Amino acid sequence: DYLAQTVAHVEERMQAPGNLWGIPTGFADLDKILHGLQRGTTVSVSGNPSVGKSKLAFQIGLNAAKAGYRTTLYSLEMSSRVTVLRLLSAEAHIPTEHMESGFLPDAWHQKMLDAAGVLSSIPLALCFDTALTTAALRADAAKRKGMEGLDLVVVDYFGRLKDTAENANERDKEMSRALHDTALELDVALLCVDTFNKAGMASGEKSVEHLSG
């Protein structure tokens, strides 16, 4: 009975009001608004190009995995080396340019090694299939869910998914529905990076139509 289940759900939360019931993002103010990332829902990290959307999504995925939530990051825009460098940078608090250049003092080198140890020990999986479609993503996530469990899916980014349709608007709508269905059917939280199109960048008031897809 869905009504009884929902009432029980609310009453359970009444026992500890203010507790974080979703998957923690690691950002207190954001968790206060979202109550954590909720299973069965999709959240879009959207904005203008080069404002740190991927960095934020990576950090959220890293924070969730460090809290024990099984997380898969689908990195469709960056190479495996760049993706892992970003994760190492986030965990070690060392700018990526220092790791790329090789100018690392001994203390920072040790921090990088410690960060690598953390990354190898947490339930964070990486996928770099640049030919991924929403159907392939759902199949892969379902496989991971069945084998090891899965709590959070991070997609970087929406526009790199390889679905096809007669026109871009229809394709984007179908892809959005497919991602939402994946979150709902697998009972996972899904975090997807997207960027604004030219109209969105020029507009003060943003809307779904301003996502580039």
Side-chain angles (χ1 to χ4, degrees):
D1 182 284
Y2 295 121
L3 179 59
Q5 290 175 6
T6 302
V7 170
H9 170 79
V10 174
E11 289 179 340
E12 179 186 9
R13 296 192 174 200
M14 289 172 63
Q15 302 304 311
N19 271 17
L20 187 63
W21 293 93
I23 298 169
T25 66
F27 295 92
D29 290 342
L30 185 58
D31 283 333
K32 188 179 294 185
I33 295 169
L34 299 176
H35 305 291
L37 299 173
Q38 304 297 316
R39 297 177 186 276
T41 65
T42 302
V43 173
S44 178
V45 178
S46 307
N48 292 342
S50 303
V51 296
K53 302 180 299 297
S54 295
K55 183 177 182 179
L56 175 61
F58 281 26
Q59 187 67 64
I60 290 173
L62 179 58
N63 292 344
K66 288 173 66 177
Y69 292 90
R70 294 194 173 277
T71 301
T72 297
L73 169 59
Y74 293 89
S75 183
L76 313 181
E77 189 177 29
M78 304 175 196
S79 68
S80 57
R81 180 179 59 80
V82 172
T83 299
V84 174
L85 269 175
R86 286 200 173 199
L87 290 169
L88 281 170
S89 172
E91 178 60 25
H93 303 289
I94 299 173
T96 54
E97 55 265 29
H98 286 272
M99 289 188 284
E100 286 276 30
S101 69
F103 290 109
L104 282 181
D106 289 344
W108 281 15
H109 181 216
Q110 187 57 53
K111 287 178 68 177
M112 183 190 71
L113 295 178
D114 292 343
V118 171
L119 292 178
S120 67
S121 68
I122 60 177
L124 176 64
L126 305 176
C127 177
F128 303 103
D129 185 355
T130 56
L132 206 64
T133 63
T134 53
L137 188 151
R138 184 190 305 195
D140 184 77
K143 181 179 178 180
R144 294 175 188 272
K145 176 88 172 182
M147 292 178 61
E148 302 173 346
L150 185 61
D151 303 300
L152 173 62
V153 170
V154 180
V155 182
D156 183 37
Y157 80 104
F158 183 82
R160 293 289 294 178
L161 290 164
K162 300 299 184 182
D163 293 46
T164 58
E166 291 186 6
N167 63 73
N169 286 337
E170 187 60 31
R171 182 202 64 170
D172 291 350
K173 289 178 182 178
E174 290 179 1
M175 285 165 57
S176 294
R177 283 195 293 267
L179 290 179
H180 176 71
D181 289 347
T182 296
L184 194 61
E185 292 171 10
L186 299 183
D187 193 32
V188 299
L190 194 150
L191 186 69
C192 186
V193 177
D194 203 353
T195 191
F196 291 132
N197 56 28
K198 290 182 178 179
M201 286 185 271
S203 173
E205 197 73 30
K206 310 299 184 186
S207 68
V208 173
E209 287 73 22
H210 291 142
L211 297 177
S212 65

